[in-house]
Structures are given as structure tokens and as C-alpha cells.
Amino acid sequence: MKLLILGATGPTGRHVVDLAVAAGDTVTVLARRPEALDEPAGQVTVVAGDATSHSAVAKAMTGQDVVISALGRSTSVRADDLFTRAAAAVIGAATEQGVSRLVWLSSFGVGDTYRSASVAQKVMYRTFLRNIYANKELSEKAIRSSGLDWTLVYPTLLTKGPAKGGYLAGERLPMKGNPSISRADVADFLYKAAHSPEWIHRDAVITDGR
């Protein structure tokens, strides 16, 4: 499969790249800082550019089967319109290039998933993450109405731990306290969703099941 990975230099995106390379997929990444990648030559095609640029995304998307977005704002709580701008670029480029499949990483607590959040989670979402979550919600409204074969992925609190493989995935999951999931397990789900029709036009809430 030919995969375009956005956010490949981030901690979750790097895991996705590693999984795809190990499985023998044809991998292209779009990166503002190509020097941040140290993938073996010939296994990953690196296109220099910004995920919010229609022309850059369209160039990287040429000939791809699936787009996986693992874009994030690292430790920042300000969106700076990253997600709405990237969604617009991806939707436009996908329409132009005839690519229909999109797996898009979001965060639990965005949009309708907020209603299933625990009290502890809701406090954090209403305060520290308010700005970034509002921008994510707007981007996802555009994706839902885009006509693409989208999957929106909503992990709980992200950790740096190793993959456990026992995570839970569902359109709605009960929450207590402030559950978490490793970035490695999130990447595993993103990768598997890209290779299966199971989650097309569905929300996927994921969290550690152990």
C-alpha cells in the first residue's frame, strides 16, 4: 500500500512510519523539517513542505492510496489554526488527486466525544485544552462533510510508554478518571485502520485496556 503520512516527525507519526516501513509499505512523508527524519534511503520518500499548504500536500499525495495524519501541537495548548488549515489542504488535495481514504488523529474530548468524558477529563478539556480542541472540532466538521472515506481517531491521554497491544477501541467507551494510551498503541491503530475498511465513516475512541 502507498501511504502518505503527515506529522511523521512527531512522536506518534514516527511510530506510524516505523510500522509502515517494517510491513513493506511504500511510504511518503511531508515534513517541514526533512532533516528530522533519519529513515534509510529508498524506504521513505520525504517531501519538504507544510501540511497546511494545498500545493505541498497535493504534491506529496500524488499516487497515494491512503493519507494518515498524525499532526499535533506537541506541548502547546494553542492551535494557531493548524488543524483547520491542514484539513482544508488535505481535503482539497485529496479531491484533486483522487485519493479518498483518510485516517485523521484527533483527541478524546473533541466534539461529541466530550459527552462521554469523565469529570476529571472535562475539567482539563474546558480549561487548558479549550483553544486547541475548538480548532480540532472545526477541522473535523470539514472532514465529515468532505465526501472522503474518513476515520477520526480519538485517543485518551497520550503517554511515551511501549505498545501493549491490549487497547480498547469503540465508537463510545465508558471513562473513569483520566485514562491514557501509549503513542505506540495509537500508531498501531492508525496503521491498522488505514489497511481496513472497518472504520470508514466512523469515530474510533481508543484507550489502554489494561
Side-chain angles (χ1 to χ4, degrees):
M1 182 174 281
K2 296 179 180 179
L3 301 177
L4 170 59
I5 302 173
L6 307 179
T9 59
T12 304
R14 288 308 304 263
H15 284 298
V16 180
V17 172
D18 291 344
L19 290 170
V21 168
D25 287 315
T26 300
V27 180
T28 300
V29 305
L30 177 65
R32 286 182 300 141
R33 297 182 299 109
E35 68 277 5
L37 290 161
D38 55 1
E39 300 301 328
Q43 290 187 262
V44 177
T45 299
V46 181
V47 178
D50 195 304
T52 63
S53 164
H54 173 96
S55 60
V57 175
K59 178 181 178 182
M61 201 181 292
T62 303
Q64 306 297 333
D65 297 314
V66 181
V67 179
I68 299 176
S69 173
L71 292 168
R73 291 289 292 145
S74 186
T75 57
S76 175
V77 294
R78 299 290 303 179
D80 294 328
D81 294 331
L82 169 65
F83 303 102
T84 47
R85 293 167 62 207
V90 168
I91 292 167
T95 302
E96 183 179 293
Q97 296 295 330
V99 178
S100 62
R101 187 73 177 102
L102 172 63
V103 179
W104 185 273
L105 177 62
S106 181
S107 301
F108 182 74
V110 176
D112 287 344
T113 65
Y114 178 84
R115 293 184 295 178
S116 302
S118 68
V119 173
Q121 288 171 316
K122 285 180 177 178
V123 170
M124 184 167 59
Y125 303 155
R126 285 197 305 261
T127 54
F128 300 109
L129 298 174
R130 181 177 179 179
N131 177 268
I132 202 165
Y133 273 32
N135 191 248
K136 286 188 174 188
E137 183 172 5
L138 287 173
S139 72
E140 290 157 28
K141 287 180 178 178
I143 290 169
R144 291 177 192 280
S145 62
S146 67
L148 300 178
D149 291 331
W150 51 264
T151 299
L152 297 174
V153 183
Y154 298 92
T156 52
L157 181 66
L158 297 172
T159 72
K160 298 179 181 179
K164 297 180 180 179
Y167 57 84
L168 303 175
E171 292 188 79
R172 295 289 182 272
L173 294 176
M175 295 288 163
K176 293 182 179 180
N178 195 18
S180 62
I181 185 171
S182 72
R183 291 181 181 276
D185 276 329
V186 173
D188 181 76
F189 183 86
L190 294 172
Y191 180 77
K192 288 177 177 175
H195 286 72
S196 168
E198 178 183 359
W199 289 95
I200 290 177
H201 295 154
R202 295 176 65 191
D203 297 345
V205 175
I206 55 175
T207 193
D208 191 354
R210 299 181 184 181

